[in-house]
Amino acid sequence: MAGNILEARGLRKSFGDLVAVDGVDFHIAEGETYGLLGPNGAGKTTAISMVTGLLEKDSGEVVVAGRSITTSSTDAKAAIGYVPQDIAIYPDLSARENLDFFGRLYGMNGKERSARVGEVLEIIGLADRADDRSEQFSGGMKRRLNIGIGLLHSPRLLMLDEPTVGVDPQSRNAILESVERLSQEGMAVLYTTHYMEEAERLCDRVGIIDHGKILAEGTRAELVALVGQRDRVRMSTNDRTEAAAEALRSHAAVDEVTASDGGLEVLVRGAAAALPRLLELAAGAGVGVTSVEVVEPNLEAVFLHLTGKALRD
Amino acid sequence: MKKVLAIGLVNAKRFVREKANLFFVFVFPILIVLLIGSFFGGGFNPTVGVYAAGEGSLTEGLLSALDGLENIDVRTYSTEAELVDGVQRGAVQGGLVIPVDYDQSLTSGESSQVGFVARPDQTAILLRQTIEAVIQEQGNLVRAARFAAGHTGGSFADSLAVARIVAPASQRVGVTYREAGDDSLTAEFSGLGTFDLGAHQELVLFMFLTSLAGSAALIQTRQLGVARRMLSTPTGTGTILMGETLGRFNVAMVQGLYIVLGTVLLFRVDWGDPLGALALVTAFALVGAAAGILMGAVFSNDSQAGGLGVLIGLGLAAVGGCMVPIEIFPEGMQTIAKFTPHAWAIDGFSEMVRRDGTFVDILPNLAVLAGFAAVLMLLGTWRLHRVLTR
Ligand SMILES: Nc1ncnc2c1ncn2[C@@H]1O[C@H](COP(=O)(O)OP(=O)(O)O)[C@@H](O)[C@H]1O
Ligand SMILES: [Mg+2]
């Protein structure tokens, strides 16, 4: 298909008896940010490794920027910037030296390289620590350097494998902002994560992956529609929850009410409109509502709907 | 090619940053140089002690032949016990016992057994080689004389005198009888300081052993995930392997040249034609580096690779003739030795030092060593690709 920077078809990989990736297809349009969202062990790293030509596929095909990618590809890999899940830098070299080394491997020459290394150091916020050995860096700084290496040659497609795992909130936010900025500048991104919020915030489209299969794929709205447009209203009550549940069920927009410890969970179509009436109904049943929380449907709910389990256990 | 250099450069940079490595490159070889010096007693000749139980012209002849050797000093003892004691205390490096009936046995055509006493070290082996050559030569004369006496009807004593005169001039007598033994070999050794011999072998042993330790560098790069990450750039496995090999080659090269120069300056060791020596050290450094990197691609655990590296390094050195001169190996072992790069490197130095060969004469050795390096690098590439992509 024209306009796609990446096309992956029929990817499959087993390790012994374990099928880690079981027939994965997806594509990424030029400039698009695509997320693979799934819990630990879902097969995200295995899939991204095959896409970058780092792992031998059992079967399937990967085309990046019109060129087929296998483990023996060299030139075709120039379109890809890869950021592995586990930090891969030389700890005894400085940030600048690490970047410079990989710049050479990306085939960048003298002036161009040193200028670009300077730019990347700015982007990842390590300009003031550029000449310190990276083993002295905090976890978050190492993560940022790890990402910086993948950005060096301004790739058309940046692949990030869980880049925020084990990072402090500040570094995490910096990383997410960088990805947003790169995306705005037109870079296509493949982003894997098990954090629902990151996928929602960054990705134009998301593939939900579990047990090596993509279970559903689409924009956030498309995925949420799978669950149905229902909001979740949580009410904390002081007493008589059973009576309140009865009363609320009588409302036409309410699909489901479950009583839980010290409160109620109500699935409502259009919570904003229905909420005043719901509170009246509760009061009419003689129930005191102490707090109300409205949760719009999210990818977490989609995952729960598709797999019957939570993203993180 | 630029990428190979980039990888080699980073490898070298990281190597130099580790202070322990500087010891390894610059201090350790000095120890090796000094070890070579003390082991082979650079500067002084080995002394052989002799106890002659009987007398006669052949006994005398043997003594004076030994005396005439340039690189060996002779000390005579008046009892066998004193001689053995001298050997044990290290006063002499070997002892020769000439039996009472030496003259009589040989003259009457029987064989005679000369005793050699020594401590089990390398100097003794070489000493024995030289002494055997001398004895062999005398045996040749005796046989020639007996042959002549049998055909001319003259006395043995007269014939021996004739044979002595003829021997140096007549190729026939000399050559015919030399075939019986391997004295052409010992003749080769006898003109050579025993020290030179050891230094070449020590160099080869040491360079290879330390090159195998280079496996740790690749294993570490793999463990850091950097090797795999290199493969995610437009860089092939072959390029990565060549770069890593280049890094280790630099180290082996510095060490090798350092030892060569050190032994030349301190002990005047003869390494032969300088160009040839440089080429041999270069080729052998490449083989060592490629072997180390292959090990680094095969093993995932550096203490495992390190332990095995020492075993392999010493094993190949022994088989390749670093510990005992290959020339005194049984024939089958000599053939097996040809499968080690060590034997080809040592043979190259021997060619230049003992047989006055030049760069051109060692071209076959260089070609074989280059072949070793190429095969090791191909295997390494294949193996590295597998471990990185499965
Ligand atoms: N090299 C390997 N050998 C054996 N099993 C593996 C290997 N790599 C991954 N796996 C298994 O494959 C599954 C998918 O792993 P992975 O792709 O790392 O998941 P994710 O990145 O989504 O957490 C897991 O069950 C994991 O244990
Ligand atoms: Mg993973």
Side-chain angles (χ1 to χ4, degrees):
Chain A
M1 219 193 299
N4 284 344
I5 182 78
L6 171 97
E7 286 178 30
R9 283 183 286 267
L11 296 183
R12 210 173 290 275
K13 180 74 186 181
S14 305
F15 297 107
D17 288 340
L18 182 106
V19 184
V21 169
D22 190 5
V24 160
D25 298 81
F26 65 100
H27 68 271
I28 301 178
E30 202 76 65
E32 184 181 37
T33 299
Y34 183 92
L36 275 179
L37 174 68
N40 280 328
K44 302 182 296 294
T45 297
T46 307
I48 208 172
S49 300
M50 287 190 279
V51 170
T52 45
L54 284 178
L55 183 66
E56 207 71 65
K57 313 184 258 296
D58 289 348
S59 61
E61 190 191 5
V62 174
V63 176
V64 172
R67 300 179 70 170
S68 165
I69 297 278
T70 68
T71 56
S72 352
S73 308
T74 51
D75 294 352
K77 289 181 182 167
I80 302 174
Y82 167 61
V83 178
Q85 176 171 0
D86 297 317
I87 293 170
I89 55 178
Y90 280 126
D92 44 359
L93 296 187
S94 68
R96 191 190 303 282
E97 287 167 331
N98 268 294
L99 290 169
D100 185 76
F101 172 59
F102 279 99
R104 286 171 198 264
L105 293 189
Y106 281 117
M108 302 164 76
N109 296 318
K111 277 231 168 72
E112 178 206 0
R113 189 177 64 241
S114 57
R116 182 61 187 158
V117 165
E119 278 173 36
V120 169
L121 283 167
E122 292 290 342
I123 294 174
I124 60 179
L126 287 179
D128 55 335
R129 299 289 302 272
D131 297 310
D132 293 348
R133 286 197 190 193
S134 55
E135 62 202 347
Q136 299 163 355
F137 290 176
S138 71
M141 292 163 78
K142 287 182 192 165
R143 279 265 160 220
R144 283 182 282 160
L145 176 56
N146 196 43
I147 294 172
I149 291 170
L151 301 178
L152 270 172
H153 59 306
S154 311
R156 288 170 67 188
L157 173 60
L158 177 65
M159 306 203 199
L160 300 141
D161 194 2
E162 305 220 31
T164 59
V165 167
V167 155
D168 59 283
Q170 207 178 335
S171 278
R172 180 177 180 183
N173 201 44
I175 290 169
L176 295 180
E177 277 173 10
S178 309
V179 175
E180 283 171 332
R181 198 167 334 112
L182 292 163
S183 168
Q184 278 159 20
E185 289 165 13
M187 199 179 277
V189 179
L190 170 56
Y191 192 100
T192 81
T193 182
H194 66 268
Y195 295 118
M196 185 265 308
E197 319 84 62
E198 292 185 3
E200 291 202 333
R201 172 170 164 187
L202 297 176
C203 301
D204 300 318
R205 282 190 309 129
V206 173
I208 292 182
I209 183 170
D210 193 32
H211 294 302
K213 287 195 165 89
I214 293 189
L215 303 174
E217 188 189 72
T219 61
R220 181 183 180 283
E222 286 166 351
L223 288 170
V224 164
L226 293 175
V227 198
Q229 269 297 351
R230 294 183 301 188
D231 300 323
R232 191 175 295 264
V233 177
R234 290 207 183 96
M235 294 183 183
S236 302
T237 54
N238 50 12
D239 206 357
R240 293 178 48 84
T241 50
E242 271 312 314
E246 273 313 310
L248 293 178
R249 279 193 191 100
S250 66
H251 192 287
V254 170
D255 280 348
E256 207 179 311
V257 182
T258 38
S260 61
D261 227 20
L264 291 167
E265 282 222 359
V266 189
L267 280 178
V268 196
R269 277 164 277 118
L275 197 57
R277 179 72 189 131
L278 291 179
L279 289 175
E280 277 174 31
L281 285 171
V287 178
V289 175
T290 54
S291 78
V292 177
E293 185 189 4
V294 178
V295 187
E296 292 184 0
N298 58 24
L299 294 179
E300 179 85 48
V302 177
F303 190 81
L304 188 70
H305 172 77
L306 291 170
T307 65
K309 64 181 183 189
L311 257 174
R312 269 169 287 166
D313 2 59
Chain B
M1 201 55 213
K2 270 190 186 165
K3 293 181 185 177
V4 172
L5 286 178
I7 297 170
L9 201 77
V10 155
N11 197 309
K13 193 190 270 180
R14 298 184 58 232
F15 187 87
V16 172
R17 279 207 182 152
E18 184 68 55
K19 294 288 180 295
N21 286 336
L22 295 180
F23 170 82
F24 184 65
V25 175
F26 292 109
V27 183
F28 201 47
I30 295 188
L31 298 179
I32 294 289
V33 168
L34 293 178
L35 186 74
I36 294 175
S38 66
F39 190 24
F40 294 98
F44 75 87
N45 287 335
T47 307
V48 61
V50 182
Y51 164 65
E55 43 193 40
S57 66
L58 290 174
T59 302
E60 297 280 313
L62 183 55
L63 280 172
S64 65
L66 288 173
D67 241 345
L69 288 176
E70 240 177 65
N71 298 297
I72 293 180
D73 297 334
V74 177
R75 182 190 297 179
T76 50
Y77 285 84
S78 48
T79 68
E80 186 169 343
E82 276 175 36
L83 171 66
V84 172
D85 187 51
V87 172
Q88 275 167 353
R89 284 189 293 106
V92 291
Q93 279 71 51
L96 195 65
V97 181
I98 307 175
V100 174
D101 56 355
Y102 184 71
D103 267 64
Q104 206 203 326
S105 305
L106 290 183
T107 314
S108 59
E110 290 163 28
S111 64
S112 179
Q113 207 59 40
V114 175
F116 184 75
V117 197
R119 289 192 298 186
D121 61 26
Q122 195 156 6
T123 316
I125 292 166
L126 298 165
L127 199 56
R128 183 177 151 188
Q129 292 280 318
T130 313
I131 290 170
E132 275 177 359
V134 172
I135 293 172
Q136 187 85 36
E137 208 146 304
Q138 194 173 37
N140 291 345
L141 288 175
V142 169
R143 265 169 284 177
R146 286 190 47 74
F147 178 80
H151 282 263
T152 60
S155 80
F156 175 78
D158 291 345
S159 302
L160 181 59
V162 172
R164 276 217 179 97
I165 297 161
V166 176
S170 157
Q171 287 302 329
R172 265 188 97 200
V173 175
V175 172
T176 318
Y177 286 99
R178 279 187 172 185
E179 272 177 12
D182 55 356
D183 54 344
S184 61
L185 162 72
T186 34
E188 212 174 77
F189 277 94
S190 62
L192 187 81
T194 49
F195 179 44
D196 295 345
L197 189 75
H200 306 151
Q201 294 160 322
E202 289 291 317
L203 172 76
V204 165
L205 184 152
F206 176 75
M207 277 179 73
F208 200 80
L209 200 57
T210 59
S211 291
L212 287 189
S215 62
L218 179 57
I219 290 172
Q220 201 202 8
T221 302
R222 280 172 49 204
Q223 284 171 345
L224 288 171
V226 174
R228 199 153 181 272
R229 188 167 200 168
M230 288 185 207
L231 201 60
S232 80
T233 71
T235 307
T237 317
T239 306
I240 297 173
L241 188 113
M242 279 192 279
E244 296 287 342
T245 307
L246 176 66
R248 307 314 301 180
F249 167 78
N250 292 334
V251 175
M253 203 60 197
V254 169
Q255 284 180 328
L257 292 180
Y258 197 61
I259 294 177
V260 169
L261 290 180
T263 51
V264 167
L265 294 177
L266 289 177
F267 303 112
R268 312 217 166 284
V269 170
D270 181 8
W271 295 91
D273 176 32
L275 186 63
L278 179 66
L280 271 181
V281 170
T282 306
F284 195 73
L286 197 58
V287 175
I293 293 301
L294 172 60
M295 283 201 62
V298 170
F299 295 97
S300 302
N301 169 323
D302 56 0
S303 58
Q304 194 186 18
L308 212 76
V310 171
L311 272 184
I312 293 177
L314 291 179
L316 285 179
V319 174
C322 293
M323 309 199 177
V324 171
I326 202 165
E327 286 83 354
I328 65 170
F329 279 12
E331 213 156 285
M333 286 302 290
Q334 292 204 14
T335 309
I336 292 175
K338 293 274 183 236
F339 290 95
T340 67
H342 301 58
W344 289 92
I346 293 172
D347 182 68
F349 283 117
S350 303
E351 181 66 37
M352 293 192 298
V353 174
R354 285 199 236 143
R355 301 189 278 275
D356 287 328
T358 62
F359 182 77
V360 177
D361 297 304
I362 57 158
L363 282 178
N365 301 65
L366 295 174
V368 171
L369 289 174
F372 269 112
V375 169
L376 289 170
M377 284 171 74
L378 279 177
L379 283 176
T381 302
W382 170 76
R383 174 67 206 183
L384 184 63
H385 194 76
R386 267 181 75 100
V387 292
L388 291 183
T389 61
R390 295 200 178 206

